Amino acid sequence: VSRSRDAEYCEYVAARLSSLRRLAAVLCDDWQRADDLVQATLTKLYVHWGRARAADHPDAYARTVLVHEFIQERRSLWVRRVSLVGRVSDSPAVVVDHDVVLDLRAAVAALPARQRATLVLRFYCDLNVDRCAEVLGCSPGTVKSQTARALEAVRRALGPGHDADTGDQARRARGNATSTRSDRP
Amino acid sequence: MTEPQVRALFNQIAEGEGGPSLVDTQLALRRGRVRLRWRRACVAGAPVLAAAAAAVVALAVAAGPVRPGAGPAAAGPAAPRQFNPLNPNVSFGWLPAGESIMQGGAQRTEVYMEAGRPSDFPGWGLGVYARGQCHLTGSAGGLKCSGETPLQDVTARFSGRAPAVGGHTAFWAGTNLVWPYARGGWAWLNIPVHNFSTLRHDTVTQGQAIKIARHLRFGAATPPLVFPAQLTGLTSQWRISEVHYQADAGVLHADSYTLTTGMSRFFPHVGDLGIWTNAPYIDIHPSPRTGTCTPHDPATRNTSEIINGYRVVVKRSAAGGHPEQELCAAYADGLWLDIIEFGPRPLIGVSSLFRQHLQLLGTDPANWTKNPIR
């Protein structure tokens, strides 16, 4: 293992750790678990660093590793034993309508891992259907159906009439969010 | 209308206060090194020793040539011509307070161990070579050791004379202590300091290094090495050529090993560390909470199968022009398993190996075996 390889890897991680953590946090809705997820991802990324650095888009490679790690983790017996479906993170909400946001957060947290990952890739990473399918290793049609099912599940969980009440809220929330797309992995 | 709400929620989470990062890049790098080291090639101590050798070249001070011939020649019993990879072959008899063996490995020509505190990296790195693998370089006052592959060759230039170890002349070589542990066999102890300048003024660490070296135990009286699976029904041509293990409460748990035959061949220029063909690389350990198989790669053909009741992913790709097949099981009787084999016509495919020859022994080390091939 050459030192240049290690140096290159460390340099990459130092530059991307913050954005990887944010993506992991969005997937997990829990910063501590996000750190665990990133930790596992970085080990795997190091093992596959030859491929990652040779890839056209190393960030996309790292994102793929992280998303797969997230989905696999959620499948594991350990998580199924301790995870409370619908659990809401203890992080404070910052948007105005707390009830709506908490309901929404719980609804998204209750989604199966693959559906949640699909939503994150589509609506946080802003990937189109084809890119999303590449990351998840499935067909574009599956991405579309997973997205539709996930959104439908969220709508059901929020109950009727939530659109009229929260649409403006969501726009305000989006306005509050200051992240830029460019630093997303 | 749900979509914009979901977008807003994700943005909100991403911009939330996550607190200081608990991610340890060095830990990831260390774990990754271990996996790379043992699954890509039979290069047991190479990374440690190669790094050590690099440090030697870069940091050795101009203390004047040290003539090893001036000291007592290594006498007494001869070093083994080959090590048994199923045995650690050496153990630490003394370590600084709070430190213990963390991991190690063995192959025929060299064994290596790393000790320290889990939070420290790197720790003390010990490399022990079989008889005939190392030779003094007369002109430079140094040592050259050959591994099983050209990638494992390392050289060191002596920086100065160290106190004798077991009656044999020892030398500082950059951040290493180097000495003949028996006739024809040399040992290296890589010392966890930044450079030789630091070590030269640190008499405490020097003393610890000498004490570690003097208390090493060679031979069979080493901690047991146990395997979480047993290979059965293989022809006698197969053997385990190298093993990597992790230490846990004084017991050494094998987690990576390679099966080879006379047909196995090494290609040094493939990947970072070269590859063996016709040599299944087996990684196996209790499935971690985040256990998964290798990430999706568009260039890889993946199939999900059920073999012996376990869900596995079989991947076929190529590395450096060599076909590669991989079988991964994220959770098989509580074990995470990965088998990789390179070559166009493998003597035994990864699926066949898993289906017909590999018996999993569960997650309790009490049920593991010292005989990985029956």
Side-chain angles (χ1 to χ4, degrees), chain B:
Chain B
M1 294 297 287
T2 312
E3 177 186 333
Q5 291 173 292
V6 171
R7 285 183 186 275
L9 173 67
F10 289 159
N11 283 327
Q12 176 197 334
I13 294 170
E15 295 306 313
E17 180 52 58
S21 169
L22 301 175
V23 177
D24 185 341
T25 306
Q26 289 302 313
L27 178 63
L29 195 141
R30 179 177 153 198
R31 288 175 174 166
R33 276 179 183 158
V34 170
R35 290 197 60 192
L36 259 188
R37 181 183 301 154
W38 293 94
R39 58 185 277 192
R40 285 295 178 192
C42 299
V43 285
V48 169
L49 295 181
V56 169
V57 172
L59 302 170
V61 296
V66 180
R67 308 304 300 179
R81 178 66 74 180
Q82 285 195 346
F83 295 116
N84 176 4
L86 304 185
N87 188 317
N89 298 280
V90 61
S91 61
F92 291 102
W94 181 88
L95 286 167
E99 299 188 12
S100 61
I101 179 173
M102 296 189 292
Q103 60 171 324
Q107 56 180 242
R108 282 167 298 176
T109 56
E110 61 180 292
V111 298
Y112 117 92
M113 297 175 121
E114 185 182 1
R117 295 181 180 84
S119 57
D120 294 344
F121 180 78
W124 303 91
L126 173 70
V128 178
Y129 281 84
R131 180 155 47 105
Q133 297 299 121
C134 299
H135 301 280
L136 291 167
T137 55
S139 59
L143 187 73
K144 178 176 181 179
C145 296
S146 302
E148 289 195 1
T149 72
L151 295 177
Q152 294 176 260
D153 292 355
V154 292
T155 57
R157 184 155 56 92
F158 298 142
S159 312
R161 183 76 62 86
V165 175
H168 303 310
T169 302
F171 305 92
W172 302 114
T175 58
N176 300 275
L177 176 66
V178 182
W179 75 101
Y181 66 93
R183 186 156 44 85
W186 286 78
W188 300 46
L189 181 65
N190 186 229
I191 302 164
V193 293
H194 291 299
N195 52 48
F196 182 65
S197 298
T198 304
L199 178 63
R200 188 166 52 174
H201 299 104
D202 186 347
T203 56
V204 172
T205 301
Q206 287 180 27
Q208 289 176 334
I210 295 295
K211 191 168 181 179
I212 289 172
R214 287 175 174 168
H215 285 78
L216 287 177
R217 297 173 184 145
F218 296 89
T222 50
L225 175 58
V226 291
F227 293 74
Q230 191 169 49
L231 292 154
T232 60
L234 290 174
T235 58
S236 59
Q237 64 180 327
W238 290 99
R239 60 199 168 94
I240 289 178
S241 63
E242 50 83 12
V243 176
H244 174 265
Y245 53 81
Q246 298 279 353
D248 185 11
V251 179
L252 307 181
H253 297 170
D255 63 4
S256 182
Y257 42 101
T258 304
L259 275 174
T260 57
T261 74
M263 301 289 286
S264 303
R265 190 173 162 208
F266 186 68
F267 290 85
H269 302 298
V270 179
D272 295 312
L273 297 170
I275 59 166
W276 285 91
T277 57
N278 285 323
Y281 296 84
I282 301 174
D283 281 6
I284 183 169
H285 51 72
S287 186
R289 168 163 78 83
T290 55
T292 182
C293 294
T294 46
H296 170 73
D297 183 338
T300 306
R301 286 190 293 122
N302 299 352
T303 58
S304 181
E305 303 175 21
I306 302 291
I307 299 180
N308 297 344
Y310 305 113
R311 178 163 294 283
V312 302
V313 176
V314 179
K315 306 180 181 185
R316 297 184 192 281
S317 56
H322 298 271
E324 173 183 358
Q325 53 178 277
E326 177 177 6
L327 180 147
C328 179
Y331 199 88
D333 274 356
L335 296 169
W336 182 92
L337 168 76
D338 191 64
I339 307 174
I340 292 180
E341 188 170 13
F342 299 95
R345 289 176 296 280
L347 294 175
I348 184 168
V350 293
S351 295
S352 299
L353 189 68
F354 184 72
R355 179 182 293 111
Q356 298 169 19
H357 301 287
L358 197 66
Q359 181 185 352
L360 304 177
L361 301 177
T363 56
D364 184 356
N367 297 327
W368 294 4
T369 181
K370 295 177 185 175
N371 303 306
I373 299 184
R374 192 175 66 193

Side-chain angles (χ1 to χ4, degrees), chain A residues 10-181:
Chain A
C10 289
E11 189 178 334
Y12 176 85
V13 171
R16 294 301 186 199
L17 182 58
S18 175
S19 57
L20 284 171
R21 282 188 80 218
R22 279 200 296 275
L23 174 57
V26 174
L27 285 165
C28 300
D29 198 3
D30 181 320
W31 283 91
Q32 287 188 340
R33 293 193 59 190
D35 279 350
D36 287 348
L37 178 62
V38 172
Q39 185 74 56
T41 298
L42 292 185
T43 299
K44 193 152 286 183
L45 188 64
Y46 181 84
V47 173
H48 296 276
W49 183 240
R51 279 182 187 169
R53 66 179 171 181
D56 290 339
H57 303 287
D59 290 351
Y61 196 96
R63 179 177 55 210
T64 301
V65 175
L66 191 141
V67 169
H68 278 245
E69 198 73 33
F70 167 75
I71 293 172
Q72 290 290 342
E73 178 199 314
R74 291 299 173 109
R75 282 181 185 153
S76 78
L77 197 58
W78 186 90
V79 167
R80 272 184 265 144
R81 277 182 184 153
V82 302
S83 180
L84 301 175
V85 174
R87 178 176 60 99
V88 175
S89 166
D90 53 5
S91 304
V94 295
V95 291
V96 183
D97 192 332
H98 299 280
D99 287 344
V100 171
V101 172
L102 288 175
D103 287 346
L104 177 63
R105 201 161 186 164
V108 173
L111 293 174
R114 186 169 278 272
Q115 287 186 11
R116 183 180 175 106
T118 306
L119 292 188
V120 170
L121 291 170
R122 295 287 311 281
F123 303 140
Y124 176 70
C125 299
D126 276 344
L127 299 188
N128 63 30
V129 170
D130 289 343
R131 289 289 301 121
C132 191
E134 284 180 26
V135 172
L136 292 171
C138 62
S139 68
T142 302
V143 171
K144 290 176 186 173
S145 63
Q146 292 274 311
T147 305
R149 281 182 200 159
L151 290 176
E152 179 57 29
V154 171
R155 285 191 196 101
R156 274 203 311 272
L158 292 178
H162 74 280
D163 284 349
D165 296 332
T166 59
D168 184 53
Q169 210 54 253
R171 279 189 288 279
R172 271 189 278 155
R174 185 154 42 161
N176 288 340
T178 55
S179 71
T180 59
R181 292 278 187 263

